[in-house]
Amino acid sequence: MSLPTTGRAWHLTARPDGWPTPDDFALREEPVRAPGAGQVLVRNLALSVDPYMRGRMNDVKSYVPPFRLDRPMDGAAVGVVVASEAEGLAPGDHVLHSLGWREYATLDARHAEKISADLAPLTTYLGVLGMPGLTAYAGLLEVASFREGDAVFVSGAAGAVGSQVGQIARLKGASRVIGSAGSAEKVKLLTEKYGFDAAFNYKDGPVAEQLAAAAPDGIDVYFDNVGGDHLEAALGRLNVHGRVTLCGMISGYNDSRPAPGPANLMLAIGKRLRLQGMLVGDHDALKPQFVRETAAWIASGELIYQETVADGIENAVDAFLGMLRGGNTGKMIVRLAD
Ligand code: NDP
């Protein structure tokens, strides 16, 4: 079989100030390199678009380097090996790797993790069994030190991480699970399908009031995906010795200037709260346990996951922007081929 010589890749062409627009990106034809010694050539089948990528569009020092302008962007992807010069990987094998946003990727085999399409659908390695899933599992069980009987509130609750946080809390014996999301359909899904005890649409009225109604006895854990008024409302509702996992603050990702912090942070003193930031990369040791337990919950039907799928690489930027606006339920995926 002859190997492809070119493939399309998305470039960031301008650094967005505020909300990104399609004009900040370009889909360009790139040369495809044949694999060298120890390398594989992968045809990507599905790409992940994730909130953290918005931060990489800014030229600031962070825990991941910024995207370079006029170069292919990167991110998680699953694909099939089409040529291999590496031991242990052969054409036809499926791999998870980090050269997404493009059709073809040539990479060192040590940066490709072999995955099995027989064990689980390939896209789940980008979502429920992948990075977002581990974020939920580690963020709740390790970072928030979840204990049976805790009342848990999670924001972004119909998204990839949030929907899993709420369900893990239920499965691990939370006394009450409360979620917030941005539409009536999402709220319905949380209580009717995912087993949340209460849920509200944060666009319907002040978060503090809606949370107070949903959590009459307060909360012990707040899993923050959103920041802003959600964090402030949670601080007001947390019980003594409550714990907060600072996982994400998506409400501010497109702000040109940072919004002021929570006005009621002083409550953390009297209530002896613990607020802890997390990065999923610190929790690799938990991965085998997370995959084992989560795969069993999925198999038994106790944990439900959803994906919102955009078809075609030409729709990857729209999928990314749509995810930032709440167009996804569960994990946002871009499918290139079956
Ligand atoms: P989601 O699948 O949750 O998608 C993002 C969601 O954010 C949208 O669907 C939208 O849902 C919601 N949203 C967007 N703007 C706002 C807003 N202004 N207020 C409230 N909600 C908003 O993404 P992920 O599950 O991948 O990520 C969730 C969070 O976790 C993000 O903050 C992300 O940065 C963080 N994260 C952190 C990691 C870490 O290691 N610290 C690792 C992975 C993720 P809606 O319709 O409800 O508004």
Side-chain angles (χ1 to χ4, degrees):
M1 193 189 85
S2 67
L3 298 181
T5 53
T6 62
R8 289 173 295 171
W10 277 103
H11 292 202
L12 182 70
T13 57
R15 300 210 178 274
D17 180 21
W19 278 88
T21 72
D23 293 342
D24 298 324
F25 306 87
L27 184 60
R28 293 177 176 153
E29 202 77 28
E30 285 275 323
V32 170
R33 268 192 312 110
Q39 292 193 319
V40 285
L41 171 62
V42 177
R43 181 162 73 101
N44 283 335
L45 301 176
L47 313 176
S48 181
V49 287
D50 297 275
Y52 79 90
M53 292 169 174
R54 176 62 190 86
R56 297 190 64 194
M57 293 169 190
N58 301 330
D59 192 14
V60 290
K61 200 166 183 282
S62 181
Y63 57 93
V64 265
F67 290 126
R68 293 166 71 186
L69 290 181
D70 298 308
R71 292 292 183 88
M73 294 190 289
D74 53 76
V78 289
V80 60
V81 174
V82 290
S84 175
E85 295 296 332
E87 257 178 55
L89 283 178
D93 284 347
H94 290 113
V95 289
L96 169 69
H97 65 95
S98 60
L99 293 184
W101 287 100
R102 67 194 79 186
E103 290 178 301
Y104 288 94
T106 306
L107 67 151
D108 288 351
R110 66 195 158 92
H111 294 141
E113 182 186 336
K114 194 167 167 175
I115 54 176
S116 166
D118 298 330
L119 285 182
L122 287 177
T123 51
T124 61
Y125 294 92
L126 300 174
V128 67
L129 290 173
M131 182 279 280
L134 180 60
T135 304
Y137 191 88
L140 181 68
L141 303 182
E142 271 190 0
V143 182
S145 312
F146 172 84
R147 293 188 292 263
E148 200 180 322
D150 279 344
V152 175
F153 171 46
V154 56
S155 52
V161 173
S163 60
Q164 218 156 327
V165 169
Q167 293 185 79
I168 296 169
R170 168 176 53 73
L171 288 161
K172 293 281 184 184
S175 59
R176 191 167 175 80
V177 181
I178 301 142
S180 69
S183 74
E185 299 77 52
K186 289 184 180 182
V187 165
K188 201 166 161 214
L189 186 73
L190 296 180
T191 52
E192 294 187 1
K193 257 183 105 177
Y194 294 162
F196 283 57
D197 298 290
F200 60 87
N201 178 351
Y202 64 87
K203 295 173 183 165
D204 280 351
V207 179
E209 284 174 23
Q210 297 201 74
L211 179 60
D217 298 324
I219 54 174
D220 304 298
V221 168
Y222 172 48
F223 194 107
D224 192 15
N225 288 317
V226 167
D229 52 356
H230 272 86
L231 177 56
E232 192 165 301
L235 290 170
R237 213 60 211 152
L238 275 154
N239 296 326
V240 168
H241 295 302
R243 287 140 278 140
V244 178
T245 295
L246 299 172
C247 173
M249 298 198 175
I250 197 165
S251 68
Y253 290 179
N254 292 301
D255 289 350
S256 299
R257 283 162 194 272
N264 58 353
L265 186 58
M266 211 195 287
L267 287 175
I269 301 168
K271 294 194 201 181
R272 287 85 89 202
L273 303 180
R274 193 180 83 201
L275 285 74
Q276 191 173 327
M278 76 166 290
L279 285 179
V280 61
D282 291 344
H283 299 274
D284 274 353
L286 208 57
K287 212 169 155 186
Q289 178 190 324
F290 149 70
V291 170
R292 203 170 45 246
E293 202 163 12
T294 305
W297 285 329
I298 294 171
S300 66
E302 291 170 288
L303 190 143
I304 299 166
Y305 70 93
Q306 250 170 279
E307 293 170 347
T308 301
V309 179
D311 270 308
I313 191 163
E314 55 284 356
N315 291 315
V317 164
D318 286 348
F320 172 70
L321 298 176
M323 177 275 299
L324 290 180
R325 292 202 165 80
N328 60 309
T329 302
K331 180 74 187 101
M332 184 60 113
I333 300 280
V334 181
R335 182 169 50 202
L336 306 193
D338 286 326

